[in-house]
Amino acid sequence: MTDSLVDPESSGEPADDEPGRAESGVTIVVCNSCRSRTGPETEPRPGSLLARATAKAAADTDIDVRQVACLGNCNRGLSVAFLRTGCWSYVFGELDTHCADDLVVAAKLFAQSQDGFMPFWKRPQSLKGGLIARIPSFESLKDLP
């Protein structure tokens, strides 16, 4: 597991020889610049606190936790993305700093999925209402007729 910033100019995916590919194949990307929509402006930002808490919660797992400066979901932050090679990716928002354990539970669910989907009914409660996007893998795209 690594706690480094992903370069916003890069694809966000580590090269094959870079550290950061979890054995489970799942990476949790936490927006460390997210602020609370209703709370006062504080440092460290709540997104950074969630990133640290998630890294700690995943410490004894094979789930990779990364952070990025902005996921562009500011109106519905705190935000995270779940990535897995060859599978759909997920972006969730409307989280709080206490969701770290739920993020690790969801990542394990995602890692165990045969089809790369994260079933709604099995997700932790904190991830049932905040789905922002499900992004298809290149392999699942269809050509236009």
Side-chain angles (χ1 to χ4, degrees):
M1 176 185 55
T2 179
D3 192 31
S4 63
L5 277 176
V6 174
D7 180 355
E9 298 299 316
S10 77
S11 67
E13 289 291 320
D16 289 339
D17 60 345
E18 282 185 57
R21 290 257 187 236
E23 284 185 37
S24 70
V26 176
T27 299
I28 303 171
V29 180
V30 183
C31 178
N32 66 4
S33 61
C34 277
R35 305 176 206 176
S36 172
R37 292 185 331 189
T38 58
E41 185 70 28
T42 60
E43 289 293 334
R45 289 193 175 178
S48 183
L49 296 174
L50 179 59
R52 290 181 199 158
T54 304
K56 184 176 180 181
D60 294 327
T61 72
D62 60 354
I63 296 164
D64 188 31
V65 177
R66 299 289 198 107
Q67 47 186 336
V68 67
C70 185
L71 285 174
N73 189 41
C74 302
N75 289 333
R76 292 181 68 188
L78 308 172
S79 299
V80 302
F82 290 86
L83 310 176
R84 182 174 160 203
T85 303
C87 297
W88 289 59
S89 297
Y90 288 82
V91 180
F92 290 93
E94 301 175 359
L95 301 170
D96 64 45
T97 57
H98 304 291
C99 292
D101 289 334
D102 284 354
L103 297 178
V104 173
V105 168
K108 289 177 181 178
L109 174 67
F110 192 34
Q112 295 167 357
S113 170
Q114 296 297 318
D115 59 7
F117 285 94
M118 190 185 305
F120 175 82
W121 61 91
K122 290 186 178 180
R123 293 180 204 158
Q125 192 62 40
S126 64
L127 296 178
K128 286 188 175 178
L131 180 65
I132 304 303
R134 201 175 64 183
I135 304 161
S137 66
F138 280 106
E139 296 81 9
S140 61
L141 298 176
K142 309 278 189 249
D143 289 330
L144 291 174

